[in-house]
Amino acid sequence: MEDNTSRSDNASDLNDMERTKAKWLTEQEFIKSKVVTLDDRDWDSRMETILVGGLDISFIVGDDVNACACYVVVNKKLEVVYQKTKMVQMTAPYIPGFLAFREANFLCDLVQEQELENPEVSPDLLMLDGNGILHPNRAGVLLGKPCIGVAKNLHKLPELEHVTNETLAKKLNKKGDIYMLSSVEGEILGAAVRTGETCVNPVFVSVGSGISLDSAVKLTLTLSKYRIPEPTRQADMISREFLRVHYPTERQLQPTKKHKEGGRKSTKRGSTNE
């Protein structure tokens, strides 16, 4: 009897998942129709005063529900001029290809709160740790602002099966080198970009909306001190530090080992903001 009940529950969960997926697919198709892959402004003329928002979410170790959402704004000098973190709970299921429906609302809330509370630091552009148009359903509209997706790993679409790590290693030899990610049919989906001289692994840049791929690549390079562009790098570091301080793992709670000289190792802590 228990086995039958368990099978019935599993079947019900699968049906719910399929219904959710179908609903999200419909919404994504609508969002896709709103994507703009052209510049909506002259980015070169804004570079001296540009503000860029970075968004990321970090999960508590071993927990796929509770996470820290982080939003930062950096200026042309790559200084953080605004930051906010917030603990959030995922209520939507994880379905591959539909991550935005699980996380985006929390990030949108942070941006909207900043625009109400500190409008003077409202960014010209948003940068997300993830994919924009380079995504199974090409959905990249967020908050009606120009948006760039910068991912650490290549989202393996069927159209990009011919792109290998060996290909990228041969094409990207120095900082600023770019390899366009196009399908066999010639559709440009994004670009692999080497953002540093010493970091051989590229990042994968794609358009969210309201900006061209050429401008997205230029801005990514301008905003990079290391491999990851500073807006999303700062959002990632600050969210992880918040979790380390407030939700440490058992390993992080272990006493710090002493050096042979008797001194303790120091740990640099960044500021956090709940």
Side-chain angles (χ1 to χ4, degrees):
M1 180 70 72
E2 290 182 3
D3 288 343
N4 289 336
T5 301
S6 176
R7 281 196 290 269
S8 177
D9 289 343
N10 289 337
S12 178
D13 289 343
L14 286 173
N15 289 335
D16 288 344
M17 192 79 75
E18 287 304 313
R19 282 193 291 269
T20 299
K21 186 175 179 179
K23 177 188 174 187
W24 286 353
L25 183 59
T26 300
E27 291 182 36
Q28 238 176 17
E29 289 300 314
F30 173 76
I31 292 172
K32 185 168 67 175
S33 70
K34 302 294 184 182
V35 170
V36 176
T37 56
L38 300 173
D39 291 322
D40 72 348
R41 61 199 70 183
D42 179 2
W43 291 104
D44 289 337
S45 67
R46 291 173 176 262
M47 287 311 299
E48 291 305 313
T49 59
I50 195 169
L51 294 173
V52 180
L55 295 156
D56 198 11
I57 286 182
S58 296
F59 284 82
I60 294 175
V61 175
D63 187 336
D64 63 357
V65 173
N66 296 287
C68 177
C70 183
Y71 171 46
V72 305
V73 178
V74 304
N75 60 19
K76 172 65 183 337
K77 297 179 180 179
L78 306 184
E79 300 165 332
V80 176
V81 297
Y82 175 90
Q83 71 179 64
K84 189 167 187 178
T85 54
K86 179 185 290 186
M87 287 302 296
V88 298
Q89 277 192 330
M90 301 294 142
T91 56
Y94 170 72
I95 301 178
F98 295 88
L99 188 62
F101 287 92
R102 193 167 193 247
E103 300 181 356
N105 286 344
F106 301 114
L107 300 175
C108 288
D109 288 345
L110 286 175
V111 176
Q112 290 168 340
E113 288 171 11
Q114 171 267 306
E115 290 180 332
L116 287 173
E117 298 167 2
N118 300 90
E120 71 280 1
V121 292
S122 292
D124 302 282
L125 169 80
L126 294 173
M127 184 174 281
L128 290 84
D129 179 14
N131 298 287
I133 201 171
L134 179 54
H135 186 277
N137 293 290
R138 320 285 206 279
V141 177
L142 179 66
L143 292 167
K145 284 181 175 290
C147 177
I148 299 173
V150 181
K152 302 180 188 73
N153 302 301
L154 178 61
H155 202 118
K156 276 294 184 182
L157 304 178
E159 302 98 308
L160 296 175
E161 288 181 350
H162 60 287
V163 179
T164 64
N165 290 333
E166 290 75 15
T167 300
L168 296 176
K170 290 178 181 178
K171 298 292 184 180
L172 305 173
N173 299 306
K174 63 183 184 303
K175 180 178 180 178
D177 281 354
I178 300 163
Y179 180 80
M180 288 298 178
L181 300 169
S182 58
S183 66
V184 175
E185 293 77 19
E187 181 186 6
I188 302 296
L189 301 173
V193 182
R194 181 161 172 173
T195 51
E197 293 294 350
T198 57
C199 50
V200 296
N201 293 324
V203 294
F204 301 94
V205 179
S206 53
V207 172
S209 191
I211 190 170
S212 69
L213 182 58
D214 284 347
S215 293
V217 168
K218 289 177 184 177
L219 284 163
T220 298
L221 287 167
T222 299
L223 295 165
S224 297
K225 289 197 295 186
Y226 307 101
R227 180 194 173 207
I228 308 302
E230 209 61 13
T232 49
R233 178 175 172 270
Q234 288 293 334
D236 175 68
M237 290 195 305
I238 291 169
S239 61
R240 289 177 184 273
E241 176 67 3
F242 182 92
L243 294 179
R244 189 189 70 79
V245 172
H246 298 279
Y247 300 89
T249 63
E250 289 186 11
R251 182 177 180 182
Q252 290 168 338
L253 288 171
Q254 296 299 315
T256 305
K257 292 182 179 180
K258 294 182 178 180
H259 287 298
K260 290 181 179 180
E261 294 80 7
R264 286 185 176 273
K265 293 181 181 179
S266 63
T267 303
K268 184 179 179 181
R269 295 191 178 187
S271 62
T272 57
N273 180 20
E274 292 190 43

